[in-house]
């Protein structure tokens, strides 16, 4: 099946209120353009250099999301154009994003990453740290925290995955307001479960573009 077909099949199952981020990491520009020509405008990448390069080469109306772990010393390369930074997991990073946003005369939308998986390798604030991170973030005038993101444990155990998504939704419900409107959870393997648990934004890669090598 073509990329356009796979994209449309997924889009048809999604409610209009759900934002689809097409995760194009490792995929060539030709694949991204296929999705673009089928109407997709939001793409996610997890490597700064790849993201910056693709943004330069591809149509200007693409909204680029940085979805991976972001190192402070690389923020400057994406600050001029990035549309949403998903994986904000420290105040140090927030501070750097704020500084670079200010230098570019703009405000940058961010999601706080929250650690919901049992795996210790996943980055993020603890559930109990979200509220204090949010209040600290208020001092940064060139950052807008628009929501939360989380990744579930990589497991076939749908009960566990559901439980982890539920825990993030619970935190989200306590902080959501006119600005904090995005709950980003769910990837190719678990986006349906995530939506059932209240996700408003899903990050789907391989189900659109095929497996990555
Ligand atoms: C790669 C990646 C995705 C997409 O994964 P798929 O399983 O291919 O849909 C989603 N979120 C993050 C943070 C990723 O790094």
């Amino acid at each position: 099946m073509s990329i356009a077909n796979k994209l449309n099949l997924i889009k048809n199952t999604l409610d209009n209120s759900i934002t689809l981020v097409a995760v194009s990491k490792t995929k060539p520009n030709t694949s991204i353009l296929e999705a673009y020509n089928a109407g997709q405008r939001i793409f996610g990448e997890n490597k700064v250099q790849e993201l910056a390069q693709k943004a330069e080469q591809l149509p200007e109306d693409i909204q680029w999301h940085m979805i991976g772990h972001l190192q402070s010393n690389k923020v400057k390369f994406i600050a001029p154009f990035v549309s949403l930074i998903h994986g904000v997991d420290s105040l140090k990073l927030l501070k750097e994003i704020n500084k670079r946003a200010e230098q570019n005369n703009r405000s940058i939308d961010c999601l706080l990453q929250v650690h919901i998986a049992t795996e210790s390798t996943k980055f993020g604030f603890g559930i109990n740290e979200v509220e204090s991170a949010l209040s600290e973030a208020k001092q940064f005038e060139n950052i807008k925290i628009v929501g939360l993101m989380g990744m579930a444990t990589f497991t076939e155990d749908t009960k566990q995955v559901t439980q982890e998504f539920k825990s993030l939704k619970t935190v989200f419900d306590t902080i959501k307001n006119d600005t904090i409107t995005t709950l980003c959870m769910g990837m190719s393997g678990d986006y349906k479960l995530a939506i059932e648990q209240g996700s408003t934004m899903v990050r789907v890669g391989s189900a659109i573009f095929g497996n990555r090598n």
Side-chain angles (χ1 to χ4, degrees), residues 3-47:
I3 288 172
N5 278 337
K6 284 189 274 194
L7 177 72
N8 282 321
L9 276 179
I10 292 170
K11 277 208 291 207
N12 288 340
T13 68
L14 298 182
D15 194 276
N16 276 339
S17 61
I18 301 200
T19 303
L20 172 63
V21 180
V23 177
S24 50
K25 63 191 188 194
T26 78
K27 298 296 176 183
N29 289 349
T30 48
S31 297
I32 297 174
L33 282 173
E34 264 186 76
Y36 178 89
N37 289 329
Q40 182 66 23
R41 290 295 180 272
I42 304 176
F43 292 87
E45 291 281 337
N46 72 338
K47 297 247 160 60

CSV table of all heavy atoms in Angstrom, one decimal, residues 3-47:
chain,number,residue,atom,x,y,z
A,3,ILE,N,2.1,5.2,0.7
A,3,ILE,CA,2.2,6.0,1.9
A,3,ILE,C,0.9,6.8,2.0
A,3,ILE,O,0.3,7.0,3.1
A,3,ILE,CB,3.4,7.0,1.9
A,3,ILE,CG1,4.7,6.1,2.1
A,3,ILE,CG2,3.3,8.1,2.9
A,3,ILE,CD1,6.0,6.9,1.9
A,4,ALA,N,0.4,7.4,0.9
A,4,ALA,CA,-0.8,8.2,0.9
A,4,ALA,C,-2.0,7.3,1.3
A,4,ALA,O,-2.8,7.8,2.1
A,4,ALA,CB,-1.1,8.8,-0.5
A,5,ASN,N,-2.1,6.1,0.8
A,5,ASN,CA,-3.2,5.2,1.3
A,5,ASN,C,-3.1,4.9,2.7
A,5,ASN,O,-4.2,5.0,3.4
A,5,ASN,CB,-3.1,3.9,0.5
A,5,ASN,CG,-3.7,4.0,-0.9
A,5,ASN,OD1,-4.5,4.9,-1.1
A,5,ASN,ND2,-3.3,3.2,-1.8
A,6,LYS,N,-2.0,4.6,3.2
A,6,LYS,CA,-1.8,4.3,4.7
A,6,LYS,C,-2.2,5.5,5.5
A,6,LYS,O,-2.9,5.4,6.5
A,6,LYS,CB,-0.4,3.8,5.0
A,6,LYS,CG,-0.2,2.3,4.5
A,6,LYS,CD,1.1,1.7,5.0
A,6,LYS,CE,2.2,2.1,4.1
A,6,LYS,NZ,3.4,1.3,4.3
A,7,LEU,N,-1.7,6.7,5.1
A,7,LEU,CA,-2.0,7.9,5.8
A,7,LEU,C,-3.5,8.1,5.9
A,7,LEU,O,-4.1,8.4,6.9
A,7,LEU,CB,-1.3,9.1,5.1
A,7,LEU,CG,-1.6,10.5,5.7
A,7,LEU,CD1,-0.8,10.6,7.0
A,7,LEU,CD2,-1.1,11.5,4.7
A,8,ASN,N,-4.2,8.0,4.7
A,8,ASN,CA,-5.6,8.3,4.7
A,8,ASN,C,-6.4,7.3,5.5
A,8,ASN,O,-7.4,7.6,6.1
A,8,ASN,CB,-6.1,8.3,3.2
A,8,ASN,CG,-5.7,9.6,2.6
A,8,ASN,OD1,-5.8,10.7,3.2
A,8,ASN,ND2,-5.3,9.6,1.3
A,9,LEU,N,-6.0,6.0,5.5
A,9,LEU,CA,-6.7,5.0,6.3
A,9,LEU,C,-6.6,5.4,7.7
A,9,LEU,O,-7.6,5.3,8.5
A,9,LEU,CB,-6.0,3.6,6.1
A,9,LEU,CG,-6.5,2.8,4.9
A,9,LEU,CD1,-5.8,1.5,4.8
A,9,LEU,CD2,-8.0,2.6,4.9
A,10,ILE,N,-5.4,5.8,8.2
A,10,ILE,CA,-5.3,6.2,9.6
A,10,ILE,C,-6.1,7.4,9.9
A,10,ILE,O,-6.9,7.5,10.9
A,10,ILE,CB,-3.8,6.4,10.0
A,10,ILE,CG1,-3.1,5.1,9.9
A,10,ILE,CG2,-3.7,7.1,11.3
A,10,ILE,CD1,-1.6,5.2,10.0
A,11,LYS,N,-6.0,8.4,9.0
A,11,LYS,CA,-6.8,9.7,9.2
A,11,LYS,C,-8.3,9.4,9.3
A,11,LYS,O,-9.0,10.1,10.1
A,11,LYS,CB,-6.5,10.7,8.1
A,11,LYS,CG,-5.2,11.5,8.3
A,11,LYS,CD,-5.2,12.8,7.7
A,11,LYS,CE,-5.1,12.7,6.2
A,11,LYS,NZ,-4.5,13.9,5.6
A,12,ASN,N,-8.7,8.5,8.5
A,12,ASN,CA,-10.2,8.2,8.5
A,12,ASN,C,-10.7,7.6,9.8
A,12,ASN,O,-11.8,7.7,10.1
A,12,ASN,CB,-10.5,7.3,7.3
A,12,ASN,CG,-10.5,8.0,6.0
A,12,ASN,OD1,-10.5,9.2,6.0
A,12,ASN,ND2,-10.3,7.2,4.9
A,13,THR,N,-9.7,7.0,10.6
A,13,THR,CA,-10.2,6.4,11.8
A,13,THR,C,-10.1,7.5,13.0
A,13,THR,O,-10.5,7.2,14.1
A,13,THR,CB,-9.3,5.2,12.3
A,13,THR,OG1,-8.0,5.7,12.6
A,13,THR,CG2,-9.2,4.2,11.2
A,14,LEU,N,-9.4,8.6,12.7
A,14,LEU,CA,-9.2,9.6,13.7
A,14,LEU,C,-10.3,10.7,13.7
A,14,LEU,O,-10.7,11.2,12.7
A,14,LEU,CB,-7.9,10.3,13.6
A,14,LEU,CG,-6.6,9.5,13.6
A,14,LEU,CD1,-5.4,10.4,13.5
A,14,LEU,CD2,-6.5,8.7,14.9
A,15,ASP,N,-10.8,11.0,14.9
A,15,ASP,CA,-11.7,12.1,15.1
A,15,ASP,C,-11.0,13.4,14.7
A,15,ASP,O,-9.8,13.5,14.8
A,15,ASP,CB,-12.1,12.1,16.6
A,15,ASP,CG,-13.3,13.0,16.8
A,15,ASP,OD1,-13.1,14.2,17.0
A,15,ASP,OD2,-14.4,12.4,17.0
A,16,ASN,N,-11.8,14.3,14.2
A,16,ASN,CA,-11.2,15.6,13.8
A,16,ASN,C,-10.5,16.3,14.9
A,16,ASN,O,-9.6,17.1,14.6
A,16,ASN,CB,-12.3,16.6,13.3
A,16,ASN,CG,-12.7,16.3,11.9
A,16,ASN,OD1,-11.9,15.7,11.1
A,16,ASN,ND2,-13.9,16.7,11.5
A,17,SER,N,-10.8,16.0,16.1
A,17,SER,CA,-10.2,16.8,17.2
A,17,SER,C,-8.8,16.2,17.5
A,17,SER,O,-8.0,16.8,18.4
A,17,SER,CB,-11.0,16.6,18.5
A,17,SER,OG,-11.2,15.3,18.8
A,18,ILE,N,-8.4,15.1,16.9
A,18,ILE,CA,-7.1,14.5,17.1
A,18,ILE,C,-6.0,14.9,16.1
A,18,ILE,O,-6.3,14.8,14.9
A,18,ILE,CB,-7.2,13.0,17.2
A,18,ILE,CG1,-8.2,12.7,18.3
A,18,ILE,CG2,-5.9,12.3,17.4
A,18,ILE,CD1,-8.3,11.4,18.9
A,19,THR,N,-4.9,15.4,16.6
A,19,THR,CA,-3.8,15.8,15.7
A,19,THR,C,-2.9,14.7,15.4
A,19,THR,O,-2.5,14.0,16.3
A,19,THR,CB,-3.0,17.0,16.4
A,19,THR,OG1,-3.9,18.0,16.7
A,19,THR,CG2,-1.9,17.5,15.5
A,20,LEU,N,-2.7,14.5,14.1
A,20,LEU,CA,-1.8,13.4,13.7
A,20,LEU,C,-0.4,13.9,13.4
A,20,LEU,O,-0.3,14.8,12.5
A,20,LEU,CB,-2.4,12.7,12.5
A,20,LEU,CG,-1.5,11.6,11.8
A,20,LEU,CD1,-1.1,10.5,12.7
A,20,LEU,CD2,-2.1,11.1,10.5
A,21,VAL,N,0.6,13.5,14.1
A,21,VAL,CA,2.0,13.9,13.8
A,21,VAL,C,2.6,12.7,13.0
A,21,VAL,O,2.6,11.6,13.5
A,21,VAL,CB,2.8,14.1,15.0
A,21,VAL,CG1,4.3,14.5,14.7
A,21,VAL,CG2,2.2,15.2,15.9
A,22,ALA,N,3.0,12.9,11.7
A,22,ALA,CA,3.6,11.9,10.9
A,22,ALA,C,5.0,11.8,11.2
A,22,ALA,O,5.8,12.8,10.9
A,22,ALA,CB,3.3,12.1,9.5
A,23,VAL,N,5.5,10.7,11.9
A,23,VAL,CA,6.9,10.6,12.3
A,23,VAL,C,7.7,10.1,11.1
A,23,VAL,O,7.7,9.0,10.8
A,23,VAL,CB,7.0,9.7,13.5
A,23,VAL,CG1,8.5,9.6,13.9
A,23,VAL,CG2,6.2,10.3,14.7
A,24,SER,N,8.5,11.0,10.6
A,24,SER,CA,9.3,10.8,9.4
A,24,SER,C,10.8,10.5,9.6
A,24,SER,O,11.5,10.5,8.6
A,24,SER,CB,9.1,11.9,8.4
A,24,SER,OG,9.3,13.2,9.0
A,25,LYS,N,11.2,10.3,10.8
A,25,LYS,CA,12.6,10.1,11.1
A,25,LYS,C,13.2,8.9,10.3
A,25,LYS,O,12.5,7.9,10.1
A,25,LYS,CB,12.8,9.8,12.6
A,25,LYS,CG,12.1,8.6,13.1
A,25,LYS,CD,12.1,8.5,14.6
A,25,LYS,CE,11.6,7.1,15.1
A,25,LYS,NZ,11.3,7.1,16.5
A,26,THR,N,14.3,9.1,9.8
A,26,THR,CA,15.1,8.2,8.9
A,26,THR,C,14.5,8.0,7.5
A,26,THR,O,15.1,7.4,6.6
A,26,THR,CB,15.2,6.7,9.5
A,26,THR,OG1,14.0,6.0,9.3
A,26,THR,CG2,15.6,6.7,11.0
A,27,LYS,N,13.3,8.6,7.3
A,27,LYS,CA,12.7,8.4,5.9
A,27,LYS,C,13.2,9.6,5.0
A,27,LYS,O,13.4,10.7,5.4
A,27,LYS,CB,11.2,8.5,6.1
A,27,LYS,CG,10.7,7.3,6.9
A,27,LYS,CD,10.9,6.0,6.3
A,27,LYS,CE,10.5,4.8,7.2
A,27,LYS,NZ,10.8,3.5,6.6
A,28,PRO,N,13.3,9.2,3.7
A,28,PRO,CA,13.8,10.2,2.7
A,28,PRO,C,12.7,11.3,2.4
A,28,PRO,O,11.5,11.1,2.7
A,28,PRO,CB,14.0,9.4,1.5
A,28,PRO,CG,13.1,8.2,1.6
A,28,PRO,CD,13.0,7.9,3.1
A,29,ASN,N,13.2,12.4,1.9
A,29,ASN,CA,12.3,13.5,1.5
A,29,ASN,C,11.2,13.1,0.6
A,29,ASN,O,10.0,13.6,0.6
A,29,ASN,CB,13.1,14.6,0.9
A,29,ASN,CG,13.9,15.4,1.9
A,29,ASN,OD1,13.8,15.1,3.1
A,29,ASN,ND2,14.8,16.2,1.4
A,30,THR,N,11.5,12.1,-0.3
A,30,THR,CA,10.4,11.6,-1.3
A,30,THR,C,9.3,11.1,-0.5
A,30,THR,O,8.1,11.3,-0.9
A,30,THR,CB,11.0,10.6,-2.2
A,30,THR,OG1,11.7,9.6,-1.4
A,30,THR,CG2,12.0,11.2,-3.2
A,31,SER,N,9.5,10.3,0.6
A,31,SER,CA,8.4,9.7,1.4
A,31,SER,C,7.6,10.8,2.1
A,31,SER,O,6.4,10.8,2.1
A,31,SER,CB,9.0,8.8,2.4
A,31,SER,OG,9.6,7.7,1.8
A,32,ILE,N,8.3,11.8,2.6
A,32,ILE,CA,7.7,12.9,3.3
A,32,ILE,C,6.8,13.7,2.3
A,32,ILE,O,5.6,14.0,2.6
A,32,ILE,CB,8.7,13.9,3.9
A,32,ILE,CG1,9.5,13.1,5.0
A,32,ILE,CG2,8.0,15.1,4.5
A,32,ILE,CD1,10.6,13.9,5.6
A,33,LEU,N,7.3,13.9,1.1
A,33,LEU,CA,6.5,14.6,0.0
A,33,LEU,C,5.3,13.8,-0.4
A,33,LEU,O,4.2,14.4,-0.7
A,33,LEU,CB,7.4,14.9,-1.2
A,33,LEU,CG,8.3,16.1,-1.0
A,33,LEU,CD1,9.3,16.3,-2.1
A,33,LEU,CD2,7.5,17.4,-0.7
A,34,GLU,N,5.4,12.5,-0.3
A,34,GLU,CA,4.2,11.7,-0.7
A,34,GLU,C,3.1,12.0,0.4
A,34,GLU,O,1.9,12.1,0.0
A,34,GLU,CB,4.5,10.2,-0.6
A,34,GLU,CG,4.9,9.6,-1.9
A,34,GLU,CD,5.1,8.1,-1.8
A,34,GLU,OE1,4.0,7.4,-1.7
A,34,GLU,OE2,6.2,7.7,-1.8
A,35,ALA,N,3.5,12.0,1.6
A,35,ALA,CA,2.5,12.3,2.7
A,35,ALA,C,2.0,13.8,2.6
A,35,ALA,O,0.8,14.1,2.8
A,35,ALA,CB,3.1,12.0,4.1
A,36,TYR,N,2.9,14.6,2.3
A,36,TYR,CA,2.6,16.1,2.1
A,36,TYR,C,1.6,16.2,1.0
A,36,TYR,O,0.6,17.0,1.2
A,36,TYR,CB,3.9,16.8,1.8
A,36,TYR,CG,3.7,18.3,1.6
A,36,TYR,CD1,3.7,19.2,2.7
A,36,TYR,CD2,3.4,18.8,0.3
A,36,TYR,CE1,3.5,20.6,2.4
A,36,TYR,CE2,3.3,20.2,0.1
A,36,TYR,CZ,3.3,21.1,1.2
A,36,TYR,OH,3.1,22.4,1.0
A,37,ASN,N,1.8,15.6,-0.1
A,37,ASN,CA,0.9,15.7,-1.2
A,37,ASN,C,-0.5,15.1,-1.0
A,37,ASN,O,-1.4,15.4,-1.6
A,37,ASN,CB,1.5,15.1,-2.5
A,37,ASN,CG,2.7,16.0,-3.0
A,37,ASN,OD1,2.7,17.2,-2.8
A,37,ASN,ND2,3.7,15.4,-3.6
A,38,ALA,N,-0.5,14.2,0.0
A,38,ALA,CA,-1.8,13.6,0.4
A,38,ALA,C,-2.4,14.5,1.5
A,38,ALA,O,-3.5,14.1,2.1
A,38,ALA,CB,-1.6,12.2,1.0
A,39,GLY,N,-1.8,15.7,1.8
A,39,GLY,CA,-2.5,16.6,2.7
A,39,GLY,C,-1.8,16.8,4.1
A,39,GLY,O,-2.2,17.6,4.9
A,40,GLN,N,-0.9,15.9,4.4
A,40,GLN,CA,-0.3,16.0,5.8
A,40,GLN,C,0.7,17.2,5.9
A,40,GLN,O,1.5,17.4,5.0
A,40,GLN,CB,0.5,14.7,6.0
A,40,GLN,CG,1.1,14.6,7.4
A,40,GLN,CD,0.1,14.5,8.5
A,40,GLN,OE1,-1.0,14.1,8.3
A,40,GLN,NE2,0.5,14.9,9.7
A,41,ARG,N,0.5,17.9,7.0
A,41,ARG,CA,1.4,19.1,7.2
A,41,ARG,C,2.2,19.0,8.5
A,41,ARG,O,3.2,19.8,8.6
A,41,ARG,CB,0.5,20.4,7.2
A,41,ARG,CG,-0.1,20.7,5.9
A,41,ARG,CD,1.0,21.1,4.8
A,41,ARG,NE,0.4,21.4,3.5
A,41,ARG,CZ,0.2,20.5,2.6
A,41,ARG,NH1,0.4,19.3,2.8
A,41,ARG,NH2,-0.3,20.9,1.4
A,42,ILE,N,1.9,18.1,9.4
A,42,ILE,CA,2.7,18.0,10.6
A,42,ILE,C,3.6,16.8,10.6
A,42,ILE,O,3.1,15.7,10.4
A,42,ILE,CB,1.7,18.0,11.8
A,42,ILE,CG1,0.8,19.2,11.8
A,42,ILE,CG2,2.5,17.9,13.1
A,42,ILE,CD1,-0.2,19.2,12.9
A,43,PHE,N,4.9,17.0,10.7
A,43,PHE,CA,5.8,15.9,10.7
A,43,PHE,C,6.7,16.0,11.9
A,43,PHE,O,7.0,17.1,12.4
A,43,PHE,CB,6.7,16.0,9.4
A,43,PHE,CG,5.9,15.7,8.2
A,43,PHE,CD1,5.3,16.7,7.5
A,43,PHE,CD2,5.8,14.4,7.7
A,43,PHE,CE1,4.5,16.5,6.3
A,43,PHE,CE2,5.1,14.1,6.5
A,43,PHE,CZ,4.4,15.2,5.9
A,44,GLY,N,7.1,14.8,12.4
A,44,GLY,CA,7.9,14.7,13.6
A,44,GLY,C,9.2,14.1,13.3
A,44,GLY,O,9.3,13.1,12.6
A,45,GLU,N,10.3,14.6,13.9
A,45,GLU,CA,11.6,14.1,13.8
A,45,GLU,C,12.3,14.0,15.1
A,45,GLU,O,11.9,14.8,16.0
A,45,GLU,CB,12.5,15.0,12.9
A,45,GLU,CG,12.1,15.0,11.4
A,45,GLU,CD,12.5,13.8,10.6
A,45,GLU,OE1,13.5,13.2,11.0
A,45,GLU,OE2,11.9,13.5,9.6
A,46,ASN,N,13.3,13.1,15.3
A,46,ASN,CA,13.9,13.0,16.6
A,46,ASN,C,15.3,13.3,16.7
A,46,ASN,O,16.0,13.2,17.7
A,46,ASN,CB,13.6,11.6,17.2
A,46,ASN,CG,14.4,10.5,16.5
A,46,ASN,OD1,14.8,10.7,15.4
A,46,ASN,ND2,14.6,9.4,17.2
A,47,LYS,N,15.9,13.7,15.5
A,47,LYS,CA,17.3,14.1,15.5
A,47,LYS,C,17.4,15.5,15.0
A,47,LYS,O,16.9,15.8,13.9
A,47,LYS,CB,18.1,13.2,14.6
A,47,LYS,CG,18.1,11.7,15.1
A,47,LYS,CD,19.5,11.3,15.6
A,47,LYS,CE,19.5,10.1,16.5
A,47,LYS,NZ,18.9,8.9,15.9
